[in-house]
Amino acid sequence: GENVEQHPSTLSVQEGDSAVIKCTYSDSASNYFPWYKQELGKRPQLIIDIRSNVGEKKDQRIAVTLNKTAKHFSLHITETQPEDSAVYFCAASLGNFNKFYFGSGTKLNVKP
Amino acid sequence: GAGVSQSPRYKVAKRGQDVALRCDPISGHVSLFWYQQALGQGPEFLTYFQNEAQLDKSGLPSDRFFAERPEGSVSTLKIQRTQQEDSAVYLCASSLRESTDTQYFGPGTRLTVL
């Protein structure tokens, strides 16, 4: 089955700096890659997703890039704010309502 | 509109007890997933329903785990003879019929087995 690895496990940045979280996947058939933000004790919330037919997607301060050849994808957050502090999970899926395989999470701390 | 809801939010069980966890998906969502999230880890897939049909139960860790969705809406995850290793947050997610893969998660049920 699919194996998703996520790095780093913790990331601390100063407010206003950029943050980058990287994930790799093993199954070349995976074609849908969502990113979720989970605050302590709360549900995972989708923040951005990308499908395998595009290489990059942007939504305000958040962007995701995908390299299908290398089988890795990254989350980029610019101009970080304290409210960005949370655990971020990447996931990979075969699409078509298939299950998600999640990474182990990155705890992002944005220091004011 | 209303999101995915789960009940109870917290459940404490003594080892050996049976528990039932409920998920109410977003109205009209065809697909429903259950995930198990251990402390400090990402969610791990348990089982998947399309309407009332359980199409994938490959993630259920043992035959003590059973899930159902008899009318294609509300789902129940049942764990029999709970063990300490069953302690985790159980997340439910639902997904719309059309060609979107977005899964919307519920708040989870935190199960603690003593």
Side-chain angles (χ1 to χ4, degrees):
Chain A
E2 175 66 280
N3 181 45
V4 177
E5 294 193 353
Q6 183 172 347
H7 301 280
S9 57
T10 59
L11 179 59
S12 190
V13 300
Q14 206 67 39
E15 181 178 0
D17 288 349
S18 295
V20 180
I21 302 171
K22 299 181 179 181
C23 288
T24 61
Y25 61 99
S26 60
D27 191 339
S28 56
S30 290
N31 60 15
Y32 176 65
F33 307 91
W35 285 88
Y36 284 83
K37 175 184 180 182
Q38 188 175 31
E39 296 177 42
L40 192 61
K42 301 283 183 65
R43 73 186 72 199
Q45 297 266 20
L46 179 73
I47 55 170
I48 196 166
D49 56 10
I50 191 167
R51 299 179 193 278
S52 58
N53 56 347
V54 299
E56 184 174 359
K57 184 176 177 181
K58 201 170 182 180
D59 182 5
Q60 299 183 351
R61 297 185 298 108
I62 294 173
V64 57
T65 58
L66 171 65
N67 182 327
K68 286 173 56 180
T69 304
K71 289 188 281 189
H72 68 70
F73 55 113
S74 300
L75 177 71
H76 304 253
I77 306 174
T78 58
E79 299 169 29
T80 53
Q81 302 167 2
E83 50 265 38
D84 294 330
S85 296
V87 178
Y88 291 80
F89 292 99
C90 64
S93 168
L94 295 173
N96 294 322
F97 307 111
N98 260 276
K99 56 197 167 192
F100 288 176
Y101 294 89
F102 282 89
S104 54
T106 295
K107 185 174 183 180
L108 175 64
N109 179 36
V110 181
K111 295 177 286 186
Chain B
V4 179
S5 61
Q6 292 185 245
S7 61
R9 291 294 316 279
Y10 303 91
K11 177 69 179 178
V12 178
K14 291 183 180 177
R15 189 161 56 91
Q17 282 185 331
D18 297 349
V19 298
L21 313 180
R22 177 187 168 110
C23 172
D24 285 80
I26 295 172
S27 178
H29 277 200
V30 167
S31 296
L32 186 146
F33 300 81
W34 283 99
Y35 293 87
Q36 181 190 60
Q37 186 174 25
L39 191 64
Q41 298 296 315
E44 290 198 4
F45 171 78
L46 293 176
T47 188
Y48 160 56
F49 290 87
Q50 189 168 90
N51 296 308
E52 68 278 5
Q54 189 175 21
L55 299 185
D56 188 346
K57 53 182 181 179
S58 62
L60 296 177
S62 77
D63 58 8
R64 296 186 296 104
F65 287 70
F66 172 76
E68 60 184 5
R69 194 186 185 199
E71 297 179 359
S73 54
V74 171
S75 177
T76 304
L77 176 67
K78 298 179 179 178
I79 309 173
Q80 298 176 322
R81 304 181 303 281
T82 52
Q83 304 294 314
Q84 283 191 319
E85 60 263 29
D86 300 336
S87 296
V89 174
Y90 291 85
L91 292 165
C92 174
S94 70
S95 187
L96 188 58
R97 174 189 300 272
E98 281 81 25
S99 60
T100 173
D101 298 303
T102 303
Q103 292 184 20
Y104 297 90
F105 280 83
T109 295
R110 181 177 294 279
L111 173 64
T112 303
V113 182
L114 303 176

